[in-house]
Amino acid sequence: MLPLVFAAMALDRFLPSAARRALPASASDVQEYYSGTVDYVRCLKAKLPEGDVVLYARNLNLTSRFDPVEDAKIASMVNIGIGDAPKWWNPPSASASSYFRYAPGKERVEVLRYSNGYVYYLVTAW
């Protein structure tokens, strides 16, 4: 088991992340942050034309849109804060234009937001 963990850590360090590989070619100014392995946080911020956000969401297999009324009970999960995130990580609150994946009882959330020319992608597990 331990060799698998080390292999995964090495691949994670030297290969572009799945979130980076999923970015459309129009993306620029890409910044990423990783913390942890089992309990983890992965953040990506990139400049992206608004018209390519849907393509990026599709590439990430994110199809659910956040509805502030219907999803009010899970808003805190979708808007989860990252205590040790770098200063550049400044995502807006989730809105109707945000994509997300969260299943109650699962200890993992994925969120894709867009604001002022930038996408903010977060996946975290605990």
Side-chain angles (χ1 to χ4, degrees):
M1 179 69 174
L2 194 55
L4 290 176
V5 171
F6 285 121
M9 290 172 57
L11 287 174
D12 196 38
R13 180 172 300 282
F14 297 110
L15 291 178
S17 68
R20 185 181 282 257
R21 290 189 314 266
L23 280 166
S26 59
S28 62
D29 191 20
V30 181
Q31 300 176 77
E32 289 184 278
Y33 170 77
Y34 300 103
S35 177
T37 52
V38 176
D39 293 342
Y40 61 87
V41 172
R42 307 283 189 258
C43 302
L44 179 141
K45 178 180 178 180
K47 189 171 188 133
L48 191 70
E50 189 170 4
D52 286 344
V53 175
V54 173
L55 174 61
Y56 188 40
R58 190 178 321 131
N59 290 348
L60 292 168
N61 295 315
L62 292 174
T63 57
S64 296
R65 282 287 186 78
F66 181 75
D67 182 310
V69 175
E70 282 185 29
D71 299 317
K73 290 182 181 177
I74 63 166
S76 63
M77 297 309 304
V78 175
N79 286 306
I80 194 166
I82 307 303
D84 61 346
K87 295 211 183 284
W88 55 259
W89 182 250
N90 57 346
S93 294
S95 67
S97 66
S98 301
Y99 292 86
F100 78 100
R101 182 177 305 143
Y102 172 71
K106 304 283 184 183
E107 297 174 330
R108 185 176 188 276
V109 66
E110 260 181 285
V111 185
L112 176 64
R113 304 172 190 136
Y114 184 80
S115 179
N116 296 323
Y118 284 87
V119 288
Y120 298 83
Y121 173 71
L122 166 72
V123 59
T124 186
W126 57 95

